[in-house]
Amino acid sequence: MQLVAEDMNGVNAVILDRMQSKVGLIPELAGHLIAGGGKRMRPMLTLACAALLDYPGTRHHKLAAAVEFIHTATLLHDDVVDGSGLRRGKRTANIIWGNPASVLVGDFLFSRAFELMVEDGSLKVLKILSHASAVIAEGEVEQLTAQRQIETDEEQYLRIIGAKTAALFAAACHIAPVVAEAGEKAELALEAYGRNLGIAFQLVDDVIDYASDEQTMGKGVGDDFRDGKMTLPVILAYARGSEDDRAFWRSAISGAAVTDEDLARAIGLVKATSALNDTIERARHYARRAIDALATFPNGKAKAALTEAAQFAVTRGY
Amino acid sequence: MQLVAEDMNGVNAVILDRMQSKVGLIPELAGHLIAGGGKRMRPMLTLACAALLDYPGTRHHKLAAAVEFIHTATLLHDDVVDGSGLRRGKRTANIIWGNPASVLVGDFLFSRAFELMVEDGSLKVLKILSHASAVIAEGEVEQLTAQRQIETDEEQYLRIIGAKTAALFAAACHIAPVVAEAGEKAELALEAYGRNLGIAFQLVDDVIDYASDEQTMGKGVGDDFRDGKMTLPVILAYARGSEDDRAFWRSAISGAAVTDEDLARAIGLVKATSALNDTIERARHYARRAIDALATFPNGKAKAALTEAAQFAVTRGY
């Protein structure tokens, strides 16, 4: 955060300026989510990668804002899709303003993201981010089809989180070397850094849903469980479970066992089978790959910050 | 349709090819709407405008497909927003596959539209269509805030339909002279043609909701009434109504009077106050402006077809 503080002021100025509309509900609803304690992780990655490459300009401010708009649009739509009531410790926009407003303001932010990219004018950046957006939507749809499907396996799970989460992390990092004209090797390395970091981040997110409490994380613990989401903790616990436990998981994921007692049993099982620990171990693996992707860049503040970000992705609160 | 039949085959080929995904639900759901009797009006406008300019290439096939994808995405999201059950005489995607799938497949088609534009590579086209997309979303949000608000006036209504409907008609026409490099005068004229045609089209659409039956139009008659939408027939009937009638409209638009008898009374009032006829008269005005915008183009098959399209917009079934 320190590394990119000044650039982040520039990004925030773009975000605040471009989420405006003469239709008052748009900045009101968007502001609730954008101003409301978001970590700006993805734009921060764009800025840190640009710093790594000693990029001297400010073109990336607009593009980092576009990345945050795409992310915000997907959050708005995700909360509608999941019927979520809580995000970052606050009531979700769909609860306050209803699903229709959340869907449409998401569409607005998504369009605005493309307007920002078009203003920048790089077709290569547009290609990276329009492709990432399509991949994200594909991942979300695949996640929907895997929901309540107990036979979902780790390969499919990794494909889903690679699309729904890691694609935007990868794109956020990838556009920095494009803007900095740092060459294909830097592009490949930073795309890989972002992609692996994104996978690690989502793995830990999925652990947190079984390991934290609402107060700590500002997200309803047990949401994934009640939604019948096949995340890696469940996939591993189901694969390793006794006949009894497997019957419980089938029933729970199908939606037939979702009381607080069922959640307590599920948490007990993901811990007892080491499913949580091993999911974190998988996350460590991807974080290490992310860090190794930075090997060829010179040491310095930016590289240290990106390394720290990858370490933090697996050590944050669970 | 005859004029652009061959080009339309090219557009359809792009549409079918690019709505595919390894996630099977995407082509299944998108195909339901795209293959299901859509009139392809907007891509047809792109093609007809290109024909008017004697554009010899095929670049516009991809762009017309992108326009249709944007339109399809907005239809999917509209049906979620309105909770619609019927479109083009078929059950809506949100009824068959649920709101989550409709929201996410809409997002996919929207992203895919931008991928198609990026492949074409014209920043000017990207600017026109990303701006149109943001304006559409703004119009949809404003429509949402005007819903159930009896004091909505004709000016606000025109602003809403100018954004939610006419912006994409305008953009579909505008991109043809850009691709054909026909110059700014042609761009302005065809943008105006599309914009005025779009307004006429929406005005008549809003008449149809009070004047047709489900069998004829494949759309639930009375949907706007039950949703408390402030369309021009209601705005005029309310302005012209007796105290009793105005009290009825207030109650109906607020959602307190939406039985079949109420709908019958509403239809009686929009007819008795000449609100339907005058809405069609307004539509004729915009259709005439659309036709007049074509004045400087040479006579021929394409101009005749575009003129016919504007005439048809106000004469189709009501």
Side-chain angles (χ1 to χ4, degrees):
Chain A
M1 264 190 261
Q2 277 178 340
L3 175 78
V4 297
E6 204 178 314
D7 280 322
M8 191 52 83
N9 287 337
V11 175
N12 281 331
V14 177
I15 288 175
L16 283 174
D17 180 43
R18 303 308 292 276
M19 69 183 223
Q20 298 308 316
S21 162
K22 58 190 183 308
V23 182
L25 178 55
I26 291 175
E28 195 186 345
L29 192 155
H32 173 75
L33 195 55
I34 287 175
K39 295 178 290 298
R40 304 269 199 279
M41 215 171 352
R42 292 154 192 82
M44 217 183 285
L45 286 172
T46 306
L47 300 179
C49 288
L52 180 73
L53 302 165
D54 290 322
Y55 171 66
T58 56
R59 266 180 62 198
H60 59 327
H61 292 180
K62 231 178 219 184
L63 297 174
V67 167
E68 186 69 1
F69 278 171
I70 291 174
H71 174 58
T72 308
T74 64
L75 290 187
L76 286 171
H77 288 185
D78 277 359
D79 284 342
V80 169
V81 164
D82 290 340
S84 306
L86 211 59
R87 177 177 291 279
R88 298 172 185 164
K90 292 169 71 174
R91 289 165 73 217
T92 52
N94 46 307
I95 294 294
I96 302 175
W97 290 279
N99 285 341
S102 283
V103 169
L104 297 174
V105 174
D107 290 351
F108 172 80
L109 290 174
F110 199 61
S111 305
R112 194 40 68 82
F114 277 92
E115 284 193 274
L116 283 165
M117 292 179 237
V118 171
E119 284 171 27
D120 175 68
S122 160
L123 279 167
K124 191 160 179 179
V125 167
L126 274 157
K127 185 178 177 180
I128 291 166
L129 281 168
S130 62
H131 183 64
S133 298
V135 169
I136 291 167
E138 273 184 315
E140 301 270 6
V141 176
E142 186 168 10
Q143 174 173 261
L144 196 66
T145 64
Q147 208 168 349
R148 305 216 175 280
Q149 303 299 319
I150 193 71
E151 298 304 336
T152 307
D153 65 12
E154 181 166 353
E155 302 311 310
Q156 188 180 4
Y157 167 79
L158 284 173
R159 194 167 64 230
I160 289 170
I161 68 171
K164 74 163 189 166
T165 307
L168 193 55
F169 276 80
C173 295
H174 189 174
I175 59 178
V178 173
V179 169
E181 298 177 27
E184 201 193 357
K185 220 183 122 198
E187 286 181 35
L188 287 171
L190 289 175
E191 196 275 341
Y193 168 81
R195 185 165 27 80
N196 285 295
L197 174 64
I199 295 171
F201 181 83
Q202 186 61 55
L203 282 161
V204 171
D205 230 41
D206 292 342
V207 165
I208 286 170
D209 206 79
Y210 285 90
S212 75
D213 55 73
E214 288 197 15
Q215 276 65 42
T216 325
M217 297 309 302
K219 189 186 153 185
V221 72
D223 278 354
D224 290 347
F225 177 72
R226 280 181 290 263
D227 289 345
K229 291 241 177 90
M230 287 300 294
T231 59
L232 191 56
V234 176
I235 292 168
L236 294 180
Y238 177 65
R240 297 167 180 181
S242 67
E243 270 314 303
D244 249 26
D245 295 341
R246 288 168 63 87
F248 162 76
W249 282 116
R250 276 192 294 273
S251 154
I253 290 301
S254 77
V258 290
T259 64
D260 285 354
E261 291 71 38
D262 294 322
L263 176 59
R265 178 170 179 189
I267 291 174
L269 289 176
V270 291
K271 286 181 178 166
T273 57
S274 199
L276 285 195
N277 281 338
D278 289 346
T279 300
I280 291 164
E281 189 47 49
R282 300 279 207 284
R284 269 194 209 101
H285 160 87
Y286 288 102
R288 281 191 294 261
R289 281 171 61 172
I291 292 166
D292 279 330
L294 303 174
T296 58
F297 296 103
N299 291 328
K301 279 185 188 171
K303 188 166 161 179
L306 288 166
T307 303
E308 236 180 88
Q311 286 159 344
F312 174 71
V314 288
T315 53
R316 68 211 166 93
Y318 50 82
Chain B
M1 264 190 260
Q2 277 178 340
L3 175 78
V4 297
E6 204 177 314
D7 280 323
M8 191 53 82
N9 287 337
V11 175
N12 282 331
V14 177
I15 287 175
L16 283 175
D17 180 43
R18 302 308 292 277
M19 69 183 222
Q20 297 308 316
S21 162
K22 58 190 184 307
V23 182
L25 178 56
I26 291 176
E28 194 185 345
L29 193 154
H32 173 75
L33 195 55
I34 287 175
K39 296 177 289 299
R40 304 268 199 280
M41 214 172 352
R42 293 154 192 81
M44 217 183 285
L45 286 171
T46 306
L47 299 180
C49 289
L52 180 73
L53 302 165
D54 290 321
Y55 172 65
T58 56
R59 266 180 63 198
H60 59 328
H61 293 180
K62 231 178 219 183
L63 296 174
V67 167
E68 185 69 1
F69 278 171
I70 291 174
H71 174 58
T72 307
T74 65
L75 291 187
L76 286 171
H77 288 185
D78 277 0
D79 284 342
V80 168
V81 163
D82 290 340
S84 307
L86 210 59
R87 177 178 292 278
R88 298 173 185 163
K90 292 169 70 174
R91 290 165 72 216
T92 51
N94 47 307
I95 295 294
I96 302 174
W97 290 280
N99 284 342
S102 283
V103 170
L104 297 175
V105 174
D107 289 350
F108 173 80
L109 290 174
F110 199 61
S111 305
R112 194 39 68 82
F114 277 93
E115 284 193 275
L116 283 166
M117 292 179 237
V118 171
E119 284 171 28
D120 175 69
S122 160
L123 279 167
K124 190 161 180 180
V125 167
L126 273 157
K127 185 178 177 180
I128 291 166
L129 282 168
S130 63
H131 183 64
S133 297
V135 169
I136 291 167
E138 273 183 315
E140 301 269 7
V141 176
E142 186 168 11
Q143 174 174 260
L144 196 66
T145 64
Q147 209 168 349
R148 304 215 175 281
Q149 303 299 319
I150 193 72
E151 298 304 336
T152 306
D153 65 12
E154 182 165 352
E155 303 310 311
Q156 188 179 4
Y157 167 79
L158 284 173
R159 193 168 64 229
I160 289 171
I161 69 171
K164 75 162 188 165
T165 307
L168 193 56
F169 275 79
C173 296
H174 189 175
I175 60 178
V178 173
V179 169
E181 298 177 26
E184 201 193 357
K185 220 182 124 199
E187 286 181 35
L188 287 171
L190 289 176
E191 195 275 341
Y193 168 81
R195 186 166 27 81
N196 285 296
L197 174 64
I199 295 171
F201 180 83
Q202 186 61 55
L203 281 161
V204 172
D205 230 41
D206 292 343
V207 165
I208 286 170
D209 206 78
Y210 284 90
S212 75
D213 55 73
E214 288 196 15
Q215 275 66 40
T216 326
M217 297 307 302
K219 190 186 152 184
V221 72
D223 278 355
D224 291 347
F225 177 73
R226 280 182 290 262
D227 289 345
K229 291 243 177 89
M230 287 301 293
T231 60
L232 191 56
V234 175
I235 292 168
L236 294 179
Y238 177 64
R240 297 167 180 181
S242 68
E243 270 314 303
D244 249 25
D245 295 342
R246 288 167 63 87
F248 163 75
W249 282 115
R250 275 192 294 272
S251 154
I253 290 301
S254 77
V258 290
T259 65
D260 285 353
E261 290 71 39
D262 295 322
L263 176 59
R265 178 169 178 189
I267 291 174
L269 289 176
V270 291
K271 286 181 179 166
T273 57
S274 200
L276 284 196
N277 280 339
D278 290 346
T279 300
I280 290 165
E281 189 47 49
R282 299 279 206 284
R284 270 195 207 101
H285 159 87
Y286 288 102
R288 281 191 293 261
R289 282 171 59 171
I291 292 166
D292 279 329
L294 302 175
T296 57
F297 295 103
N299 291 328
K301 278 185 188 172
K303 188 166 162 179
L306 288 166
T307 302
E308 235 180 88
Q311 286 158 345
F312 174 71
V314 289
T315 54
R316 70 212 165 92
Y318 50 82

